Amino acid sequence: MFSKATEYALRATIFIAQKGTEEKKLSIEEIAKAIDSPKSFTAKILQALTKDNHIISSVRGPNGGFYLTEKSKQLPVRIILQAMGDEEVLEKCVLGLKQCSELQPCPMHSQYKSIRKQLKELFVTKSIKQFASEIKDGVIFINNS
Amino acid sequence: MFSKATEYALRATIFIAQKGTEEKKLSIEEIAKAIDSPKSFTAKILQALTKDNHIISSVRGPNGGFYLTEKSKQLPVRIILQAMGDEEVLEKCVLGLKQCSELQPCPMHSQYKSIRKQLKELFVTKSIKQFASEIKDGVIFINNS
DNA sequence: ATAAATAAAGACAAAACTATCTTTAATTAT
DNA sequence: ATAATTAAAGATAGTTTTGTCTTTATTTAT
């Protein structure tokens, strides 16, 4: 569905939203361990979400790390797909046809369109915060081991 | 959602099922043109679907080409994903977590599982033939131009 | 001021994916 | 038999994705 990079971005952002605060920031070390992702690769991804897109906040130096502002937590999860350049799946024809539409439907269009709509709905209407608050120790997990 | 190779495989197979017969086989030339895919790359894909998986039938030489047997047309479209090694999306956690399940759900699990179920249902319950017969000239399209 | 800790930035490399081109084998028509 | 046609097979190459490592910049604590 999504690239590895996008999977890591979603996991990391939801994790940071849940565990990080401006007072207690999370290091890339902690984050990568928690979500089971390669550290340096994840660092690159968080950099992008920080620098270009201002979804995540970061501070360098001792006691530095990553956290999300309350405002960022309220963004739809779609914002992460957008930042990662990986939101095509929310719009695209399942057969990859450029001109597939209601007027020129592909053979799978009528069956697939409702699935795509629900997928888009999920990423557009739900906020980062909503998924972050799903995590309750011992009930919902975000780690991978 | 799927790789380019899988998109071409789905388009080609549905197209061949609709237009090809044992009497009037389709050449790789015709197929690639019709579904707007790179010819040699598509040849490789059809080779795989022919040789290893016996989903498509082929004959070499003059008036040779590709077609589907009636039996093949009745296979679920999932068989194409399987042959292409690209059916992971029907089963996988949206966040890419290995152990995500009802017992150890990821933060998106409860919202996403019904979407994944519908997607799987689509590929498991619908046959190649069903999508092939969706194509009616001027109403349903499979070309890309 | 200096040292330590941490993210940012950049260079590099391995693997996977997409694509092309050439040669070979099989089949048919003459 | 021979020539023509078509898929099969194999070699190669470009691009993207995934990942690592090193150096630099910033911040904090002493």
Side-chain angles (χ1 to χ4, degrees):
Chain A
M1 168 99 14
F2 299 117
S3 68
K4 285 281 176 200
T6 299
E7 289 178 359
Y8 300 153
L10 288 166
R11 303 219 292 263
T13 306
I14 293 171
F15 177 72
I16 298 167
Q18 217 270 323
K19 297 281 191 182
T21 65
E22 189 161 3
E23 290 72 43
K24 192 167 174 300
K25 305 178 196 76
L26 303 174
S27 72
I28 187 63
E29 189 85 36
E30 295 176 89
I31 295 163
K33 187 165 294 179
I35 68 168
D36 189 37
S37 64
K39 196 174 68 171
S40 291
F41 192 37
T42 306
K44 277 289 156 58
I45 292 163
L46 295 188
Q47 232 176 83
L49 295 175
T50 300
K51 188 190 166 198
D52 304 332
N53 302 284
H54 305 287
I55 297 165
I56 298 177
S57 304
S58 75
V59 176
R60 292 200 260 199
N63 305 313
F66 300 88
Y67 66 98
L68 261 74
T69 63
E70 194 53 40
K71 199 176 164 194
S72 279
K73 288 184 193 176
Q74 282 163 18
L75 293 168
V77 276
R78 180 182 188 163
I79 201 80
I80 300 165
L81 305 185
Q82 203 166 43
M84 298 301 296
D86 203 5
E87 54 178 350
E88 208 182 26
V89 71
L90 305 185
E91 311 286 349
K92 199 182 158 186
C93 167
V94 68
L95 298 182
L97 294 172
K98 290 193 200 81
Q99 34 54 292
C100 175
S101 67
E102 285 302 311
L103 286 175
Q104 247 173 286
C106 80
M108 297 190 69
H109 184 83
S110 75
Q111 304 279 334
Y112 178 69
K113 64 182 175 187
S114 125
I115 294 171
R116 184 177 49 214
K117 188 180 174 188
Q118 290 169 62
L119 189 64
K120 184 168 175 179
E121 200 77 353
L122 177 59
F123 280 85
V124 167
T125 65
K126 304 291 174 180
S127 66
I128 294 166
K129 189 177 188 171
Q130 279 174 283
F131 291 119
S133 54
E134 285 276 326
I135 307 177
K136 292 171 185 67
D137 278 357
V139 182
I140 310 277
F141 298 80
I142 192 146
N143 64 308
N144 205 17
S145 50
Chain B
M1 166 101 15
F2 299 118
S3 67
K4 286 280 176 201
T6 299
E7 289 177 0
Y8 300 152
L10 288 166
R11 301 218 294 260
T13 306
I14 293 171
F15 177 72
I16 298 166
Q18 216 269 325
K19 298 281 190 184
T21 66
E22 187 160 4
E23 291 72 44
K24 191 164 176 301
K25 303 178 198 78
L26 304 174
S27 72
I28 187 62
E29 190 84 33
E30 295 177 88
I31 295 163
K33 186 165 295 180
I35 68 167
D36 188 36
S37 64
K39 194 174 70 172
S40 292
F41 192 38
T42 306
K44 276 288 153 61
I45 292 163
L46 295 188
Q47 231 175 82
L49 295 175
T50 301
K51 188 191 167 197
D52 304 333
N53 302 284
H54 304 288
I55 297 166
I56 297 177
S57 304
S58 74
V59 176
R60 292 199 259 199
N63 305 313
F66 299 89
Y67 66 99
L68 262 74
T69 63
E70 195 52 41
K71 199 177 166 194
S72 279
K73 289 184 192 175
Q74 280 162 20
L75 292 169
V77 276
R78 180 182 188 161
I79 201 80
I80 300 164
L81 305 186
Q82 203 166 41
M84 299 301 293
D86 203 5
E87 56 178 349
E88 207 183 25
V89 71
L90 305 185
E91 312 284 350
K92 199 182 156 188
C93 168
V94 67
L95 298 182
L97 294 171
K98 292 194 199 79
Q99 34 54 290
C100 176
S101 67
E102 285 301 311
L103 286 176
Q104 249 174 282
C106 80
M108 297 190 69
H109 183 83
S110 73
Q111 304 278 332
Y112 179 68
K113 66 181 175 187
S114 127
I115 294 171
R116 183 176 52 215
K117 188 181 173 186
Q118 291 169 61
L119 189 66
K120 183 168 174 178
E121 200 78 353
L122 177 59
F123 281 85
V124 168
T125 66
K126 305 289 174 182
S127 66
I128 294 166
K129 189 177 189 170
Q130 278 175 282
F131 291 118
S133 52
E134 285 278 325
I135 307 178
K136 292 171 185 67
D137 278 356
V139 182
I140 308 276
F141 298 80
I142 193 144
N143 65 309
N144 205 20
S145 49

